[in-house]
Amino acid sequence: MRSPLPSVSRRARRVVIVLVSAVVLLFVLTAGSSLYADWLWYDEVGLTRVLSTTLQTRLLLFVLFGVVTGAIVAVNVYVAYRLRPIFAPMSLEQQNLERYRMAIAPRFGLLTLAVGAVVGMITGLSAQGQWKTWLLFVNSTPFGETDAQYDRDISFYVFEYPFWRYVLSVAFTAIVLSVIASLVVHYLFGGIRLQAGSGGRLSTAVIGHLSVLLGIFVALKAVAYYLDRFGMLFGYNDSTKTHGASAADIEFLLPAKNILLWIAALCALVFFANLGFRRVLPPAMALILLGISAIVIGGAVPALAEQFTIKPNAIDREADYIERSISATRDAYDIDDIQRQDYAPNTNATPEQVKKEAGTVGNARLLDPNVLSDTFTQLQQVRTFYRFNSSLDIDQYTVDDQLQDYIVAVREMDTSRLDEGQKNWINLHTSYTHGYGLVAAPANQVTEGGQPYFVSGSLGEAPASDSEASEQQAAKLAAAFATDNPVKQPRVYYGELASDYAVVGKAPGGRDREFDRPTSQGGDQSEQVSFTYDGEGGVSVDSLTRRALYALYFRERNFLLSDALNENSKVMYVRNPRERVEKVAPFLTLDGDPYPAVVDGRIKWIIDGYTTSNYFPYSQRETLGATAVDSRTGAGTAAQPNDQINYIRNSVKATVDAYDGTVSLYQFDDTDPVLKAWNKAFDGIIKPKKDIPDELAEHFRYPEDLFKVQRSLLAKYHVTAADDFFTGQDFWQVPDDPTPARGGKQPPFYVVAQWPDQAKPTFQLTTPMVANRRNNLTALISAHYDDNYKPVLQMLELPGDSQIAGPTQAQNKMRSEDTVRDNLNVLDLGDSQVVYGNLLTLPVAGGLLYVEPIYQRASGQDSIPLFQNVLMSYGEKVAYQSTLGGALDNLFGPGASEDAPEGQQPGDRPSGTPSPGATPSPGATPTPSTTGTPAPTTSPTPSAPPAGGNVDAAAAAVERANANLKAAQRSGDLAAIGKASQELANAVDAWQSARARASASPTPRPGG
């Protein structure tokens, strides 16, 4: 008898239908508008096949896995229903179940379909997320190398193994759900009885059905044992701290897996055979056999063997497997071809030796891109709504046939800084649409007042400098830069700060309505040049349909109501370069620091793209986000996701045109099988390496996140002998950032330098390494591209017993020297603040030169860090001067500064903190110069002693001069800043002289 459905009034049904229809319509409109807007965006960049391939693959996997899994469960539920007893046993238990049977039986077909649909939906949603795994599986490309255990091509592990593992997991899920659902149905309809009766607890039909399902489950277990054999190559050996199969795995666990495979296959046959006998005992015994075998053979025996056979002789038994892991890891992270060189550091060099290092010492960086964002903003902002990223970039340019590194940044529009009265939809999205200009400054030069020389990106008049000499030098540098690197299209519609959409095109009446740039840096803010975008970027919104679409997509009614949109209008969205490339190439992992470059007169963003995998056999697994992090991560750069990887390649160089948003993907590593598979999957969206323009390639730099991963691996995997690796005595570590107020690892630094055995200076990324759990320097690692843009890794290894100071020790030693400490305290007077720049470690004259720029920042909202001095250390000697050349001469002797850049020769800048002589660290013995002239080891008495030699009066003069400097900095008058800086320098000279003359009790420090 059919159980009647609860009655519902017609009005209530209508209300429910209307509500459900409204929800469905809202979902369809929202999802549909998002999908169509995505399609139009991909059509704009000319890569709709990325979206279509992704959607088709997701839909295929959703249907394939969802339908199959749902069908398996639904069929087994239906079979369980058909195998129900004709007459249910009459017992109290069955009488209690009868009401459920009466309610379910009339609608069992509908319930079966519902169960299958729910299971299929959940499985399909899970499966569509595996679209990357599927595409790699069907586009597998040979690696051309095999693993050390099974001699299978690496492509099996990278492309095929993950997919088969997923298929197996889905199959297990389908069978387990089928068993559970079948047990429920059998119980409800009397096939299973908890109270024993005349027919037993299980009917023969139930035994037969469960025998088949459990037989399939055990057969899948046999397949799992087979795949486990390959999965061992991704394991972790706690005793050797390596990944891959260990001695215990290969010698004991592998035979155990093979045995269990055959036992599982035999047990599966027993279950299938029981379909004819339909007895409980045979399958029960098979399950017991399989369980005991798994515990004893697969668990206890390998564990005991490892404990009593392998570990007591681990170094001998594990040696081959350690070597496998070392070899695979170095291959997977592309560090196996690193050029290694022993470097027994010299601690004393002559001026003649230093002169031969012009490619390194002459390019020592004085501007830290992580410090100068406020300086760029204050001096190059021009209007409050312009802004620079909080972390500036560094790039290489060839000017006058000379390779030079430049601090570069793009002047971007930040509409959040508009006045409150200006923040309306028209201004935010149609008027203030773009930034203007790439601002560049040579990294190894500063003006007399400690500012960068801006050679590109000025708006209107060039900003006033702090002296006539600085203005002349700035004009000279700017002319040279513009000649070799002209910027023909300076407008920036696509940038790191572009987080919202922009609507561009002619305004009603054909007038220009976009704010382009001010006519001058000062004066009335209304003095401006207007502009109308005429590039290829953006999606046309020339119809009512398009306007309605974007009104829904952006949840903005002005797309329908505003007269600002017409048949000429375009909308730009996804304007962040990194997000743009991420959308075009979702299979790539992108470096966290895009950087701008002038290429063929246009500003282009360059982004490094990585292909990664977590299935390279025997390779060390790393958490990408944790390994690539340093003290600057997240401060203007993007952090990497915490994905597990054990293979990485810098396979793609991507560019985004700052004006029209054009995205180009270039194959950089043309040997990478993973990239070849992706390129095949997406129908060749990656352009071949030969298509890279030469002018673009000149700006390629070794990517930071890749280098950070590689240096972390080299801390261990520079050791290639198994016994040394096992003991771990020669392991290194990445040093902590010695800069005060920064926590975390020291970031690597881009520098132009000429390392030993390099034919010419190169733009390279460098990092020091220190001993494990100690701060002594152990190595320098560098990465750059050769003339053919092939990556080159180099490593200078110090002797194991070297006592050369690491970055933290070197900085502590330099700052603890009496004169340096006192002068830093002077710079830190009152509300002023000493700002420490990047501490560079450079190989010079057979030794190691530490170079650190020192800045001073006054108090006040508009204060900026101004370069003051160079702090240097070489061996046991320390130098501290206002110019690079002055510090070199003081450290190595007169003449060492011959190749210092213009403006950085001794005496070129006023010295606010004099220290004419190189001073050994406390307790050190001065080393005589090999030229016969003793290296100076004490600071001579400065000229210009104060009247009367009164220390208190001199201290008061220092404080007055410091107050004047802060007032000048707050006013923004660059000439006044330069004059006040000179006054402070003279006052400090006087205070130092008075302090040196004092022979009575200790003289109080200024401000103390």
Side-chain angles (χ1 to χ4, degrees):
M1 177 178 177
R2 183 179 294 271
S3 178
L5 288 170
S7 61
V8 180
S9 68
R10 180 177 297 179
R11 182 178 180 181
R13 285 200 297 269
R14 288 177 178 174
V15 170
V16 170
I17 291 172
V18 169
L19 290 176
V20 171
S21 299
V23 170
V24 171
L25 180 61
L26 180 62
F27 173 79
V28 171
L29 286 175
T30 303
S33 65
S34 179
L35 180 60
Y36 188 38
D38 274 351
W39 179 267
L40 292 175
W41 185 90
Y42 278 104
D43 186 54
E44 175 209 342
V45 297
L47 291 171
T48 53
R49 60 186 181 276
V50 174
L51 181 61
S52 60
T53 299
T54 304
L55 289 177
Q56 289 171 9
T57 304
R58 288 176 179 268
L59 182 61
L60 171 65
L61 294 177
F62 178 87
V63 172
L64 179 62
F65 282 88
V67 169
V68 171
T69 306
I72 289 173
V73 175
V75 166
N76 278 282
V77 169
Y78 178 73
V79 169
Y81 178 72
R82 290 297 302 269
L83 294 177
R84 69 191 185 282
I86 298 176
F87 299 105
M90 296 306 295
S91 64
L92 180 61
E93 174 190 13
Q94 294 302 313
Q95 290 176 6
N96 291 333
L97 293 174
E98 183 63 23
R99 56 176 176 172
Y100 296 107
R101 288 196 285 265
M102 293 292 292
I104 292 174
R107 309 178 187 90
F108 192 80
L110 182 61
L111 289 175
T112 301
L113 291 176
V115 169
V118 171
V119 171
M121 183 70 68
I122 295 173
T123 306
L125 290 174
S126 170
Q128 61 87 28
Q130 298 293 320
W131 65 273
K132 295 181 182 180
T133 304
W134 167 261
L135 285 177
L136 287 178
F137 174 74
V138 297
N139 293 284
S140 176
T141 302
F143 269 67
E145 55 182 302
T146 58
D147 73 277
Q149 178 61 37
Y150 301 109
D151 199 34
R152 279 180 173 262
D153 193 275
I154 302 299
S155 60
F156 167 77
Y157 301 95
V158 173
F159 302 127
E160 300 174 28
Y161 176 81
F163 178 73
W164 289 125
R165 270 294 182 188
Y166 180 73
V167 171
L168 184 64
S169 68
V170 172
F172 270 123
T173 301
I175 296 304
V176 169
L177 291 177
S178 296
V179 170
I180 294 173
S182 298
L183 288 173
V184 171
V185 174
H186 283 306
Y187 175 71
L188 284 175
F189 288 92
I192 298 176
R193 298 174 291 278
L194 299 181
Q195 297 177 358
S198 58
R201 295 181 185 272
L202 301 176
S203 68
T204 56
V206 171
I207 295 173
H209 188 197
L210 295 180
S211 293
V212 172
L213 289 176
L214 294 177
I216 295 173
F217 181 87
V218 175
L220 291 174
K221 190 63 180 173
V223 176
Y225 284 133
Y226 175 77
L227 291 178
D228 285 347
R229 299 161 66 250
F230 303 108
M232 288 190 300
L233 305 192
F234 309 113
Y236 179 72
N237 188 343
D238 188 63
S239 63
T240 63
K241 302 297 187 284
T242 59
H243 282 76
S246 64
D249 291 334
I250 299 302
E251 297 176 21
F252 297 97
L253 187 57
L254 178 58
K257 294 289 184 183
N258 288 329
I259 294 172
L260 288 172
L261 187 159
W262 291 107
I263 292 176
L266 178 62
C267 291
L269 291 176
V270 171
F271 276 102
F272 293 138
N274 193 53
L275 185 61
F277 300 101
R278 304 199 181 189
R279 303 290 178 86
V280 174
L281 186 59
M285 294 180 62
L287 280 178
I288 293 172
L289 173 63
L290 184 60
I292 294 176
S293 300
I295 294 171
V296 176
I297 300 175
V301 172
L304 292 173
E306 180 179 15
Q307 189 68 34
F308 295 104
T309 304
I310 304 297
K311 285 188 176 181
N313 307 286
I315 187 59
D316 297 321
R317 300 292 291 275
E318 298 283 8
D320 289 343
Y321 304 101
I322 294 175
E323 290 178 357
R324 290 181 180 183
S325 181
I326 293 173
S327 177
T329 300
R330 290 171 62 88
D331 182 17
Y333 289 95
D334 203 20
I335 56 177
D336 52 339
D337 291 331
I338 188 169
Q339 300 174 9
R340 306 177 67 158
Q341 181 180 347
D342 292 333
Y343 195 73
N346 178 26
T347 57
N348 185 61
T350 66
E352 287 71 23
Q353 289 175 311
V354 176
K355 289 178 186 178
K356 298 177 182 178
E357 302 286 352
T360 298
V361 296
N363 290 300
R365 205 171 77 200
L366 303 179
L367 299 182
D368 184 349
N370 297 314
V371 169
L372 297 178
S373 178
D374 288 345
T375 303
F376 270 55
T377 297
Q378 184 71 15
L379 300 178
Q380 285 288 324
Q381 184 181 37
V382 183
R383 294 289 186 269
T384 56
F385 44 74
Y386 285 131
R387 187 161 71 90
F388 296 93
N389 194 14
S390 57
S391 178
L392 307 182
D393 294 300
I394 186 163
D395 190 17
Q396 57 183 324
Y397 287 86
T398 300
V399 177
D400 289 338
D401 298 322
Q402 184 74 29
L403 179 66
Q404 172 70 58
D405 51 347
Y406 285 79
I407 307 298
V408 294
V410 169
R411 184 187 292 105
E412 298 193 55
M413 179 67 66
D414 183 1
T415 54
S416 67
R417 297 192 174 193
L418 291 171
D419 295 336
E420 288 302 319
Q422 295 177 292
K423 290 183 179 179
N424 53 66
W425 187 84
I426 294 293
N427 281 340
L428 293 176
H429 298 285
T430 70
S431 296
Y432 294 95
T433 56
H434 61 278
Y436 196 96
L438 180 135
V439 179
N444 65 341
Q445 298 186 53
V446 294
T447 68
E448 289 185 10
Q451 303 166 15
Y453 281 111
F454 294 108
V455 300
S456 172
S458 295
L459 287 175
E461 302 171 357
S465 189
D466 42 43
S467 71
E468 183 177 349
S470 293
E471 287 186 6
Q472 293 174 353
Q473 177 70 356
K476 175 183 174 182
L477 293 173
F481 186 89
T483 299
D484 293 327
N485 304 278
V487 181
K488 301 173 184 176
Q489 180 50 269
R491 296 169 182 87
V492 180
Y493 284 85
Y494 298 84
E496 291 180 286
L497 304 181
S499 58
D500 211 342
Y501 64 89
V503 178
V504 298
K506 283 285 185 183
R511 62 183 177 84
D512 297 325
R513 67 164 168 230
E514 296 179 54
F515 176 89
D516 192 45
R517 64 188 186 278
T519 55
S520 65
Q521 296 204 38
D524 191 348
Q525 295 234 8
S526 64
E527 297 176 359
Q528 68 181 54
V529 176
S530 297
F531 181 73
T532 294
Y533 183 77
D534 59 358
E536 298 297 323
V539 178
S540 177
V541 282
D542 55 356
S543 66
L544 181 60
T545 302
R546 292 279 181 92
R547 294 174 67 172
L549 166 69
Y550 286 107
L552 185 60
Y553 181 70
F554 291 115
R555 310 292 191 270
E556 177 54 66
R557 63 188 179 188
N558 279 307
F559 276 93
L560 292 173
L561 302 179
S562 175
D563 292 335
L565 284 90
N566 52 56
E567 65 275 5
N568 299 313
S569 298
K570 290 182 176 182
V571 59
M572 295 175 172
Y573 51 109
V574 190
R575 296 198 290 155
N576 182 289
R578 193 170 185 269
E579 294 175 2
R580 203 165 176 86
V581 175
E582 198 170 44
K583 196 174 182 71
V584 164
F587 49 87
L588 292 178
T589 299
L590 301 181
D591 191 86
D593 188 22
Y595 60 100
V598 179
V599 180
D600 193 25
R602 300 173 73 94
I603 301 172
K604 291 185 182 291
W605 294 95
I606 302 175
I607 306 103
D608 287 281
Y610 309 123
T611 47
T612 62
S613 176
N614 194 32
Y615 290 98
F616 196 99
Y618 279 103
S619 177
Q620 174 87 24
R621 274 199 169 124
E622 292 288 327
T623 302
L624 180 59
T627 307
V629 72
D630 62 31
S631 63
R632 299 301 306 175
T633 300
T637 60
Q640 294 293 345
N642 281 322
D643 296 335
Q644 291 285 308
I645 65 166
N646 66 0
Y647 172 91
I648 187 170
R649 288 290 186 275
N650 177 210
S651 51
V652 170
K653 298 286 187 180
T655 65
V656 176
D657 191 291
Y659 183 66
D660 62 23
T662 299
V663 180
S664 298
L665 305 174
Y666 296 100
Q667 186 179 37
F668 188 66
D669 186 345
D670 52 8
T671 64
D672 178 28
V674 179
L675 181 65
K676 291 179 181 179
W678 283 122
N679 207 25
K680 192 190 305 182
F682 286 98
D683 195 25
I685 67 170
I686 313 293
K687 298 178 183 179
K689 190 173 185 178
K690 63 182 177 61
D691 289 350
I692 298 177
D694 291 338
E695 191 172 353
L696 171 63
E698 290 174 359
H699 293 280
F700 286 166
R701 66 185 196 183
Y702 203 91
E704 284 188 81
D705 286 340
L706 172 64
F707 185 71
K708 285 184 274 189
V709 171
Q710 289 177 324
R711 72 173 178 176
S712 179
L713 269 297
L714 282 169
K716 289 173 57 178
Y717 287 91
H718 70 278
V719 178
T720 55
D723 53 348
D724 293 336
F725 192 97
F726 183 82
T727 60
Q729 295 300 312
D730 293 330
F731 287 172
W732 305 333
Q733 64 183 11
V734 178
D736 292 332
D737 192 336
T739 307
R742 293 186 191 173
K745 300 175 185 175
Q746 184 182 33
F749 299 116
Y750 287 106
V751 295
V752 173
Q754 186 173 355
W755 275 36
D757 296 335
Q758 288 183 355
K760 62 181 181 180
T762 59
F763 184 63
Q764 50 193 289
L765 190 56
T766 65
T767 186
M769 302 294 287
V770 297
N772 194 26
R773 291 187 293 274
R774 293 187 298 123
N775 287 320
N776 298 96
L777 194 70
T778 57
L780 286 181
I781 302 174
S782 168
H784 69 279
Y785 294 133
D786 65 14
D787 291 339
N788 297 316
Y789 303 105
K790 179 181 178 182
V792 177
L793 276 173
Q794 291 181 278
M795 180 163 60
L796 302 180
E797 296 182 72
L798 278 63
D801 58 352
S802 172
Q803 296 300 310
I804 297 297
T808 300
Q809 293 174 328
Q811 192 168 71
N812 291 337
K813 178 179 69 174
M814 291 189 291
R815 293 176 187 171
S816 63
E817 192 277 322
D818 289 343
T819 304
V820 175
R821 183 179 63 248
D822 291 340
N823 288 327
L824 290 176
N825 287 335
V826 170
L827 292 178
D828 228 3
L829 282 172
D831 294 329
S832 296
Q833 177 186 6
V834 174
V835 179
Y836 298 94
N838 38 234
L839 179 62
L840 305 178
T841 310
L842 305 173
V844 172
L848 293 163
L849 175 67
Y850 284 102
V851 180
E852 183 175 30
I854 303 296
Y855 307 86
Q856 183 187 36
R857 183 170 195 156
S859 61
Q861 182 178 0
D862 296 328
S863 65
I864 59 175
L866 294 174
F867 173 83
Q868 294 294 329
N869 294 286
V870 182
L871 184 56
M872 280 189 182
S873 171
Y874 191 91
E876 296 295 337
K877 294 184 292 184
V878 174
Y880 189 49
Q881 261 293 332
S882 62
T883 63
L884 178 66
L888 290 171
D889 276 358
N890 292 333
L891 198 62
F892 300 105
S897 61
E898 183 177 292
D899 293 302
E902 187 173 354
Q904 285 298 311
Q905 294 290 337
D908 280 349
R909 293 184 64 249
S911 174
T913 49
S915 179
T919 306
S921 61
T925 302
T927 305
S929 170
T930 58
T931 63
T933 302
T937 58
T938 59
S939 299
T941 302
S943 57
N950 187 290
V951 177
D952 291 337
V958 170
E959 292 189 353
R960 286 196 301 272
N962 189 60
N964 292 337
L965 175 60
K966 289 189 287 186
Q969 289 173 334
R970 284 193 295 270
S971 71
D973 187 336
L974 300 181
I977 292 174
K979 182 179 178 180
S981 298
Q982 183 61 56
E983 291 177 356
L984 178 61
N986 295 335
V988 172
D989 284 347
W991 174 72
Q992 287 282 4
S993 177
R995 187 172 177 271
R997 290 168 178 265
S999 57
S1001 58
T1003 303
R1005 198 171 292 161

